[in-house]
Amino acid sequence: MVDSDLLKQNVGKQASELIQDGQVVGLGTGSTTHHFIRYLGERVKNEELDILGIPTSFQSLILARESGIKITTLDEYDINIAVDGADEVNPSLDLIKGGGAAHTLEKLVDSSADEFVVIVDDSKMVDSLGKFPVPLEIIPDSLRLVKNAVIEMGGVPELRMGIQKDGPVITDNGNFVLDTKFDDIENPYELEIELNTIPGVLENGIFAGITDKVIVGRENGNEIIEK
Ligand code: 5RP
């Protein structure tokens, strides 16, 4: 049986070795990126690297601080390289993200980086996006209207509920997440744009056309897929 956390560790380590002294680094969110941030923190300590991190969530902010990575903001610096996880990756390297409800800031950070590297275990590789629902970050007042709009588009929406918290998940930005299932997303570019035109939607979890490189963790070693 494959230990998926070991695969996540392997890709996190390899991605941490891509970072060069002096770089500004986008720090993704999730259990795979967790390993990347930890390994990067070790390199900062052992090699006295002078790098700055720009986190994509409270999770990555706290972890980066604990790992000894200096933090800055997008207001102050452009990003040289961003490393982030994904929930699905198709053969064109389009993604579904947002399993951790952090996709709004992740998209800002990942899409603005000079280089965007995705790290996943091989369970995330799919022929076609859509088994994982597309998360929409929506302002709370828009819930009923956005639900109706996505149903009209053929989606099946479900409000994401909290764990160890009654009621809906509240994002780092104070909003709701509407997980919306679309079967077989034929054109991720079009759907990404269309979803963001619905009033009340802040951002959706389709990341089409921005990935430069994917490091896939497999039982027999990591595979690098470049655009
Ligand atoms: C968070 C994300 C994560 O990167 C994505 O959900 C993958 O997470 P994990 O590495 O835990 O599988 O998009 O919003």
Side-chain angles (χ1 to χ4, degrees):
M1 164 125 168
V2 191
D3 177 353
S4 77
D5 192 58
L6 185 62
L7 303 184
K8 291 178 184 193
Q9 280 180 42
N10 293 343
V11 291
K13 185 163 194 293
Q14 185 161 0
S16 75
E17 288 158 5
L18 297 174
I19 309 305
Q20 293 167 20
D21 197 20
Q23 285 191 317
V24 179
V25 185
L27 306 171
T29 295
S31 56
T32 317
T33 315
H34 175 101
H35 295 297
F36 163 71
I37 294 173
R38 282 273 182 234
Y39 281 118
L40 186 58
E42 279 178 26
R43 283 198 60 207
V44 166
K45 198 166 72 188
N46 298 337
E47 301 171 37
E48 296 182 9
L49 294 185
D50 185 19
I51 63 155
L52 291 171
I54 299 190
T56 53
S57 61
F58 291 139
Q59 184 209 34
S60 56
L61 169 69
I62 292 166
L63 187 60
R65 283 201 176 124
E66 283 173 5
S67 307
I69 298 170
K70 283 191 213 137
I71 299 299
T72 187
T73 64
L74 269 178
D75 269 344
E76 286 167 285
Y77 286 94
D78 289 331
I79 298 179
N80 299 114
I81 179 168
V83 176
D84 206 343
D87 300 298
E88 282 188 350
V89 182
N90 76 6
S92 310
L93 311 189
D94 304 318
L95 316 173
I96 292 183
K97 288 187 45 56
H103 54 281
T104 299
L105 192 49
E106 288 176 328
K107 199 178 280 188
L108 203 57
V109 164
D110 299 345
S111 66
S112 72
D114 294 340
E115 185 180 8
F116 175 36
V117 179
V118 173
I119 51 175
V120 288
D121 64 86
D122 56 1
S123 69
K124 307 292 184 65
M125 304 305 289
V126 296
D127 291 334
S128 172
L129 299 181
K131 278 162 218 60
F132 196 88
V134 180
L136 312 181
E137 179 164 1
I138 64 167
I139 63 165
D141 281 343
S142 72
L143 178 60
R144 184 178 64 85
L145 295 178
V146 175
K147 262 185 166 178
N148 289 345
V150 293
I151 289 168
E152 193 77 13
M153 290 169 60
V156 180
E158 191 177 331
L159 182 63
R160 193 181 297 181
M161 302 306 282
I163 295 170
Q164 291 188 306
K165 185 253 176 213
D166 292 335
V169 163
I170 305 296
T171 68
D172 290 358
N173 311 307
N175 295 309
F176 290 172
V177 177
L178 198 60
D179 288 312
T180 306
K181 182 89 178 66
F182 292 95
D183 287 332
D184 236 0
I185 299 172
E186 275 172 28
N187 191 331
Y189 290 82
E190 272 177 15
L191 187 59
E192 179 177 6
I193 292 165
E194 199 180 344
L195 287 169
N196 278 1
T197 64
I198 302 170
V201 175
L202 187 57
E203 190 52 85
N204 71 81
I206 299 177
F207 288 41
I210 65 165
T211 306
D212 294 303
K213 183 186 286 180
V214 181
I215 306 178
V216 188
R218 301 192 190 278
E219 215 178 339
N220 55 356
N222 292 345
E223 181 193 0
I224 296 185
I225 306 173
E226 307 218 38
K227 200 157 178 184

